Amino acid sequence: MMELPGALAAFTYNDRGALQSHVLREGTELTPQVLDLLARSCVANLAIASMEASGWEALTGQGGFQPLKGISVVGLEWSVVANGNRGVVVKNRDADYEAAFNAVQTA
Amino acid sequence: MHIVKQLMAIPGVIAAGEYAYRGDRFSYEGALTEEFARMASIVCRANTLSVNMQAEIFESFAENCGCRPVQGWIVRGSQITVCAVGNYFSFIENRDELLNDVMTIMRAKVGDVQDDLLASLYARLGGDTKEALY
Amino acid sequence: MSLNKILVLDGVTAVCRFRDDGAIMEAEGMLSPDLMERMARFAQWYRRTVSSNTDLLSLFSQMRGWSPSQGWIVQGAGLTVCSTGNVVCLVGNAQGSLNEIMRALGEAARE
């Protein structure tokens, strides 16, 4: 995941969102503590997104959301892209969202 | 050209629009019914509020970490992706390179979302900013 | 109803009323100004999140009665934070009666 354009950090987390492993780009301001928070927010966002996906599909009859392939939060300078138990932080300037979503798909 | 029209001109964009923070004011173009657009507007508002809260929490641990103000979010489904920047949203097909193109256009056209985004974006659709936002 | 009426309830250690932008309107209790400010900000954002989630639930379940949300409770190992409307308080789990506290918060929020 660190080979993605603009990657600042890559991480994995357990189902409750606790940080399990991470790699940080040298010189980045991100810390393991921030990554742990980020991982927890990823789990929360994925849970909300899956609720929205199943609710939307049930109510509108429009398919195409499930199974969910991930979420991204776009900050001012960087974005996080996450799915399953992994996430990656990329610089907005260099972000390739499609490549990032592909990278966080579990094999 | 207006951002929604510009987005709709891209092949693979299913619908695009603008939403307000109570989910009660919205405008859109594309393959959504009025009711679905209202629902999309509520969903967008929920996600935007949620990620903004998280960004504020991050910042309390890492000042000027580059996450605030939040510019938007993406939910990638199996065949459809929803992306939101500021108070604009779009439903797009999962085609090669489409997400990057749409995000580039949305980020460029909407511009950097400023700090007081709730009040300002609400006002943009003609809402009363003094009114409670929930 | 003054916030003191909530503060005197068993288990309540701090209580505050916050504005839409998360700023404190009034505060009482044993919490440093910095922590009180953080609690108010957290409460305001959490209120928005809960309100969004109940909107979603009400939308997707097509069930009445969830929205607009009235308040929330987050219970930790030893402490609980609870809020109704724009009033939030911090409670020690061992002593407090949540029912009584939520009722009092509700009254304070309606003012």
Side-chain angles (χ1 to χ4, degrees):
Chain A
M1 288 193 276
M2 289 304 283
E3 287 166 13
L4 287 166
L8 297 176
F11 55 99
T12 63
Y13 45 87
N14 68 15
D15 292 344
R16 295 176 65 86
L19 192 64
Q20 301 278 286
S21 64
H22 67 274
V23 187
L24 286 169
R25 167 89 56 226
E26 224 172 284
T28 170
E29 288 168 60
L30 290 164
T31 63
Q33 190 197 19
V34 172
L35 284 186
D36 185 72
L37 279 174
L38 200 52
R40 289 173 199 275
S41 80
C42 288
V43 169
N45 289 336
L46 283 162
I48 293 172
S50 85
M51 185 267 254
E52 289 167 354
S54 73
W56 183 273
E57 289 194 355
L59 206 57
T60 65
Q62 178 190 36
F65 286 105
Q66 300 191 89
L68 211 62
K69 292 176 82 179
I71 58 97
S72 173
V73 174
V74 182
L76 182 65
E77 289 164 26
W78 48 260
S79 300
V80 59
V81 177
N83 185 46
N85 295 86
R86 43 169 95 176
V88 60
V89 181
V90 293
K91 261 197 181 135
N92 283 354
R93 212 180 35 229
D94 310 317
D96 180 339
Y97 291 104
E98 290 186 33
F101 275 111
N102 288 335
V104 294
Q105 300 309 311
T106 35
Chain B
M1 202 195 300
H2 189 267
I3 173 167
V4 172
K5 289 218 166 2
Q6 189 162 2
L7 288 169
M8 286 309 298
I10 305 172
V13 175
I14 301 164
E18 240 183 308
Y19 65 96
Y21 278 86
R22 287 169 66 97
D24 55 358
R25 291 191 186 85
F26 53 87
S27 61
Y28 70 101
E29 284 186 25
L32 285 179
T33 64
E34 184 84 1
E35 176 59 10
F36 289 1
R38 188 183 72 87
M39 286 168 52
S41 170
I42 294 174
V43 170
C44 288
R45 166 190 182 266
N47 288 351
T48 301
L49 289 181
S50 187
V51 294
N52 270 282
M53 177 187 74
Q54 292 161 8
E56 191 156 317
I57 294 172
F58 293 147
E59 205 179 62
S60 69
F61 285 91
E63 256 179 76
N64 302 320
C65 66
C67 56
R68 274 189 78 202
V70 171
Q71 304 296 304
W73 48 265
I74 304 169
V75 172
R76 191 146 178 95
S78 57
Q79 291 145 46
I80 299 177
T81 296
V82 183
C83 18
V85 173
N87 65 328
Y88 288 88
F89 68 88
S90 55
F91 280 55
I92 65 173
E93 289 172 12
N94 288 0
R95 292 189 186 182
D96 281 350
E97 287 306 313
L98 183 59
L99 175 60
N100 286 338
D101 291 348
V102 166
M103 283 305 284
T104 305
I105 288 179
M106 289 178 86
R107 288 281 283 126
K109 288 281 169 183
V110 177
D112 278 352
V113 175
Q114 300 303 312
D115 227 352
D116 194 10
L117 109 174
L118 290 177
S120 67
L121 295 182
Y122 193 57
R124 213 186 282 189
L125 279 190
D128 174 4
T129 50
K130 297 283 188 300
E131 190 180 338
L133 291 172
Y134 3 74
Chain C
M1 183 178 182
S2 86
L3 293 186
N4 268 322
K5 288 193 180 157
I6 298 171
L7 191 63
V8 295
L9 296 175
D10 285 348
V12 178
T13 53
V15 54
C16 93
R17 192 189 297 275
F18 53 92
R19 274 199 331 226
D20 252 15
D21 60 0
I24 294 175
M25 288 166 73
E26 43 178 333
E28 300 286 349
M30 298 178 294
L31 214 52
S32 69
D34 176 53
L35 282 179
M36 194 69 92
E37 214 169 277
R38 280 168 187 256
M39 181 168 81
R41 251 195 348 238
F42 164 78
Q44 185 253 3
W45 277 113
Y46 203 80
R47 178 187 185 188
R48 285 180 172 167
T49 306
V50 167
S51 120
S52 304
N53 284 338
T54 51
D55 284 356
L56 287 177
L57 189 63
S58 126
L59 171 67
F60 291 135
S61 68
Q62 301 276 289
M63 189 177 164
R64 293 169 61 87
W66 289 107
S67 188
S69 60
Q70 305 294 302
W72 49 267
I73 302 173
V74 174
Q75 187 147 51
L79 287 173
T80 297
V81 195
C82 37
S83 175
T84 299
N86 65 337
V87 187
V88 59
C89 75
L90 188 64
V91 187
N93 288 354
Q95 305 111 28
S97 153
L98 280 185
N99 292 343
E100 198 182 354
I101 293 166
M102 287 306 278
R103 209 174 302 125
L105 284 173
E107 280 170 28
R110 272 192 293 277
E111 279 174 8

